Amino acid sequence: NKLYDSTYLKESYSYDIFRSEGVLAPQCNIGVLNWSGARMGIYTVQEPVDKLFIQRNVPQADQGGDLYKLGWTNDGATFTSTDSIGAEDEDKSKFYIYDIKTNKKTTTHQDLITMIQTLNSGSLTKARFADVVDVDNFLRFAAVSYFIGNCDDLRNNYNNCYVYFLKSSGKAIFIPYDYDRCLGVNREWNPSGHSMTQDSPYGQGNQRSPLFRYSVDNGGFYKDEYTQVLLEVAENPLLTPERFEARFNIAKALYADQVTPQRNLKNAE
């Protein structure tokens, strides 16, 4: 719990919100970890986003596509360049912004390259945007992300997300990941100073990523449709204090007496 989420629940709860709005997200919960007979405290147990995840969650016709984890090398996943695409190799210190997780030996990365080139073509239209991005998925992904307020996500820091290209259409869908900074958790990273709570859902006018700039930001092709999705998500009962408190009380009853590790860890307090 390096970010001091006193509830231990916010990452797993955020994925529940995504799934409730039809966005793929890993299953996640908390549990007690015991190591060599010593209790190590409460840990997050999270489903990997990998080939098996895709097989479990995507229709058969769309299985077999390219899955990328989006992260940092010298820059984030702004979808403006194809210079950093490949398969990570930690032993050789090879890291990529677009880290391929499936089809490593066979992919040509063409779907990703086509998407990036289309978004930066200078002649992008609403129809061409929809040719490379699953619009319904992205609008829901962006709307839920706004309410969850992760200052370290794809919109705000260009990382912590997977992108998967549907086999039947080549269109991109987005899968959230690593949401340990959300719903008010902002330790070590809070660039806005208010955990994104005062930001507009249509951006701040400084968006580098054409994925957001041409879709849901002010002037984007899908601002009106995005507004309707925002209004829908705003009514999600999981976004009420009562629903979160009910989940918290269950976890507290199960785990409150097991939070403190039996070994000395840096943030054991």
Side-chain angles (χ1 to χ4, degrees), residues 12-251:
S12 61
Y13 198 79
S14 72
Y15 298 142
D16 289 349
I17 300 171
F18 273 110
R19 285 195 304 275
S20 74
E21 292 292 341
V23 179
L24 290 186
Q27 297 286 340
C28 187
N29 213 323
I30 59 174
V32 180
L33 175 66
N34 291 284
W35 194 313
S36 299
R39 185 182 68 244
M40 302 301 288
I42 303 299
Y43 276 69
T44 298
V45 184
Q46 184 164 312
E47 177 186 23
V49 179
D50 56 12
K51 181 179 179 180
L52 293 178
F53 177 91
I54 297 300
Q55 290 176 350
R56 282 194 293 268
N57 292 284
V58 174
Q60 188 170 2
D62 286 317
Q63 296 179 17
D66 289 346
L67 173 70
Y68 296 86
K69 185 178 181 182
L70 308 182
W72 276 85
T73 54
N74 295 322
D75 201 0
T78 59
F79 294 99
T80 55
S81 171
T82 59
D83 292 341
S84 184
I85 302 173
E88 177 181 286
D89 188 334
E90 293 186 359
D91 294 334
K92 296 181 180 180
S93 296
K94 290 185 177 181
F95 301 96
Y96 300 91
I97 295 173
Y98 307 95
D99 175 23
I100 186 72
K101 294 299 184 182
T102 58
N103 307 325
K104 292 183 180 182
K105 295 182 179 180
T106 59
T107 184
T108 63
H109 307 292
Q110 190 56 56
D111 286 336
L112 174 60
I113 292 171
T114 297
M115 174 186 171
I116 294 174
Q117 290 177 341
T118 299
L119 293 178
N120 294 276
S121 64
S123 58
L124 188 64
T125 64
K126 191 172 186 177
R128 293 193 68 199
F129 186 97
D131 285 339
V132 293
V133 175
D134 185 306
V135 172
D136 181 68
N137 167 266
F138 183 69
L139 295 183
R140 292 185 172 278
F141 171 84
V144 176
S145 296
Y146 171 72
F147 282 104
I148 288 175
N150 181 0
C151 48
D152 195 27
D153 69 358
L154 185 60
R155 179 173 196 154
N156 297 304
N157 205 26
Y158 311 114
N159 70 150
N160 288 335
C161 180
Y162 284 81
V163 60
Y164 177 71
F165 290 90
L166 301 169
K167 187 69 172 179
S168 66
S169 64
K171 295 182 180 183
I173 63 171
F174 299 85
I175 304 166
Y177 180 78
D178 196 9
Y179 268 56
D180 53 355
R181 290 184 177 92
C182 68
L183 299 172
V185 177
N186 57 30
R187 184 176 173 84
E188 298 175 352
W189 182 246
N190 184 23
S192 69
H194 46 70
S195 304
M196 320 312 296
T197 57
Q198 297 176 27
D199 282 11
S200 164
Y202 309 107
Q204 304 304 303
N206 58 354
Q207 181 57 240
R208 292 174 58 199
S209 173
L211 178 64
F212 288 89
R213 195 167 64 247
Y214 291 119
S215 60
V216 298
D217 280 13
N218 283 313
F221 298 128
Y222 294 95
K223 183 181 176 182
D224 291 343
E225 294 91 332
Y226 178 52
T227 298
Q228 292 305 309
V229 179
L230 285 167
L231 292 170
E232 177 184 324
V233 175
E235 298 299 321
N236 190 318
L238 290 177
L239 289 172
T240 62
E242 293 79 13
R243 287 291 291 272
F244 184 82
E245 184 177 12
R247 180 76 60 84
F248 173 77
N249 287 336
I250 293 172

